[in-house]
């Protein structure tokens, strides 16, 4: 492929396959999906799951401590 030009090739195949078995047979149907990304696109960084979880847990613990302090103040009044 030359720079500045684009080319696409598509191939579609359909058909029938049949087979007979002499005895009882279990069959499994498996689906296969392929995704193709454009080579010219830039990768987007995903946020770190560990960092997000740590921040969430830190905020959760902080809120729990604040709620605990507020409930103790109300009981003293």
């Amino acid at each position: 492929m030359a720079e500045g030009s684009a080319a696409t090739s598509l191939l579609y195949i359909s058909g029938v396959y049949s087979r007979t078995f002499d005895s009882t047979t279990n069959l499994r149907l498996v689906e296969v999906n392929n995704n193709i990304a454009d080579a010219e696109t830039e990768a987007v960084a995903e946020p770190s799951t560990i960092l997000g979880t740590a921040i969430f847990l830190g905020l959760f613990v902080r809120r729990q401590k604040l709620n605990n302090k507020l409930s103790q103040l109300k009981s003293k009044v």
Side-chain angles (χ1 to χ4, degrees):
M1 180 185 315
E3 286 187 38
S5 66
T8 302
S9 297
L10 298 173
L11 174 65
Y12 295 101
I13 299 174
S14 66
V16 176
Y17 176 80
S18 66
R19 180 173 176 178
T20 57
F21 298 94
D22 294 334
S23 60
T24 304
T25 305
N26 294 322
L27 298 176
R28 179 181 300 177
L29 179 64
V30 179
E31 177 183 2
V32 177
N33 290 323
N34 292 322
N35 293 326
I36 300 172
D38 187 9
E40 295 177 16
T41 60
E42 294 182 22
V44 178
E46 294 183 16
S48 170
T49 304
I50 295 172
L51 179 61
T53 303
I55 290 171
F56 173 79
L57 289 175
L59 293 173
F60 180 77
V61 168
R62 186 174 179 183
R63 182 176 173 105
Q64 290 299 323
K65 286 182 180 180
L66 180 63
N67 285 342
N68 222 3
K69 286 181 183 180
L70 289 175
S71 66
Q72 289 174 357
L73 288 176
K74 289 178 184 176
S75 64
K76 289 182 182 179
V77 175

